[in-house]
Amino acid sequence: MKRKKIVAGNWKMNTTKEEAEKLAASIVQSSQAFQGVEKIVFPPFPFLQAVKTIVNNTANFFVGAQNCNHHDKGAYTGEVSAAMLKSVGCDYVLIGHSERRQYFTEDNIQLLSKTEQALTNNLNVIFCFGEQLNERKNNQHFETVKKQLHGVLNFFPKNKTEQLVLAYEPVWAIGTGETATPAQAQEMHAFIRKTVAEIFSQEITEQISILYGGSCNAQNAPELFSCPDVDGGLIGGASLNADEFCKIIGSFG
Ligand code: 13P
């Protein structure tokens, strides 16, 4: 089986309901030519169901949530469970995004419980990780990424790796306009694939899509996506513009 090509849009805390619906409808419309690419959008929680209704009958098009709580249910005011996400039609959830790690102090213990909740509720996980700028400058980026991968994947059930997608997002590239060069991305993605082979197996690592995220746009996507170990992108800012996002979807050679 060939690895899936995926382009995912993380809308973060942006859009109103009307804007979210419009954006989803435009993406559905303009991405029809790219059947071979799996498309996923991650709207804010309140718009998941509305967006799901819009993309519902579109082939290879899925909706995901940007986060889920690490408990199954109960007295956790303001929180959203994996079961709730599944019940409104989500197929994916982002786990470990650097903004969650940084602003909401999510650690490996929480990320593991979130992963468990996601898998129990039949959600696919996009597990995000990546080094800080000072770590890259000090040449510690491989070590950091290896630690982040082991911290969660060591406990990820080997028989559920079909539900796993990885997203390498160097923190210094997120929202900064500074993208990893294709050479930097390929070097890290090859390292990730090797690390995942050590954790699971060579056969499994060959099946897992590894996305790049961090100031990815229509200009730099073609070169990034042509790297042998880059299987697509997790797009932030550029996913809020349907034309730009669809150009990124069409960037595979
Ligand atoms: P930008 O594309 O805005 O840099 O964000 C990347 C990201 O964080 C996607 O999850």
Side-chain angles (χ1 to χ4, degrees):
M1 195 185 88
K2 268 192 80 191
R3 277 197 296 276
K4 278 193 280 191
K5 304 272 179 224
I6 301 173
V7 175
N10 175 8
W11 297 358
K12 306 194 181 183
M13 198 171 76
N14 293 296
T15 72
T16 59
K17 180 167 184 262
E18 201 184 332
E19 287 164 352
E21 288 174 334
K22 217 173 133 199
L23 180 57
S26 304
I27 297 170
V28 165
Q29 172 96 43
S30 309
S31 67
Q32 266 163 10
F34 312 117
Q35 289 295 325
V37 181
E38 183 168 312
K39 282 87 63 184
I40 315 165
V41 290
F42 291 85
F45 285 141
F47 316 138
L48 285 170
Q49 198 157 18
V51 169
K52 176 68 183 177
T53 305
I54 288 166
V55 311
N56 215 4
N57 294 316
T58 314
N60 227 358
F61 206 126
F62 301 92
V63 173
Q66 299 169 20
N67 182 32
C68 70
N69 190 264
H70 51 290
H71 297 286
D72 61 344
K73 62 176 172 179
Y76 302 102
T77 302
E79 289 299 298
V80 175
S81 72
M84 293 173 188
L85 299 175
K86 190 68 191 182
S87 73
V88 294
C90 284
D91 283 300
Y92 279 91
V93 63
L94 297 181
I95 291 182
H97 193 283
S98 66
E99 287 150 17
R100 302 290 319 169
R101 294 178 192 254
Q102 186 180 348
Y103 305 132
F104 304 94
T105 59
E106 292 186 0
D107 57 15
N108 278 346
I109 297 185
Q110 269 191 46
L111 300 184
L112 274 170
S113 305
K114 283 169 189 260
T115 303
E116 214 175 287
Q117 288 302 326
L119 295 179
T120 302
N121 289 285
N122 279 323
L123 291 168
N124 300 306
V125 170
I126 299 194
F127 177 58
C128 311
F129 52 89
E131 81 281 0
Q132 311 269 347
L133 181 59
N134 65 323
E135 292 167 324
R136 179 156 285 263
K137 280 189 173 157
N138 295 329
N139 210 24
Q140 294 168 331
H141 44 297
F142 293 117
E143 199 183 312
T144 298
V145 163
K146 190 170 186 167
K147 249 194 224 154
Q148 290 172 320
L149 287 170
H150 277 280
V152 170
L153 300 191
N154 282 355
F155 306 93
F156 195 101
K158 211 171 170 174
N159 62 349
K160 298 227 166 152
T161 50
E162 273 177 22
Q163 281 171 258
L164 177 65
V165 172
L166 300 176
Y168 168 60
E169 300 202 298
V171 177
W172 49 270
I174 296 179
T176 58
E178 193 178 336
T179 323
T181 63
Q184 284 173 323
Q186 171 54 29
E187 184 186 35
M188 182 56 91
H189 281 226
F191 174 79
I192 294 161
R193 203 170 302 286
K194 182 172 138 274
T195 305
V196 173
E198 286 159 12
I199 297 170
F200 298 125
S201 71
Q202 189 60 37
E203 196 188 341
I204 289 174
T205 202
E206 294 295 341
Q207 308 290 324
I208 294 180
S209 300
I210 308 177
L211 314 183
Y212 168 79
S215 298
C216 188
N217 57 37
Q219 278 72 50
N220 57 37
E223 244 199 300
L224 284 163
F225 293 1
S226 70
C227 299
D229 286 295
V230 178
D231 304 305
L234 178 54
I235 321 298
S239 72
L240 295 169
N241 178 310
D243 286 346
E244 175 91 6
F245 188 61
C246 291
K247 276 189 196 139
I248 298 173
I249 296 170
S251 290
F252 293 96

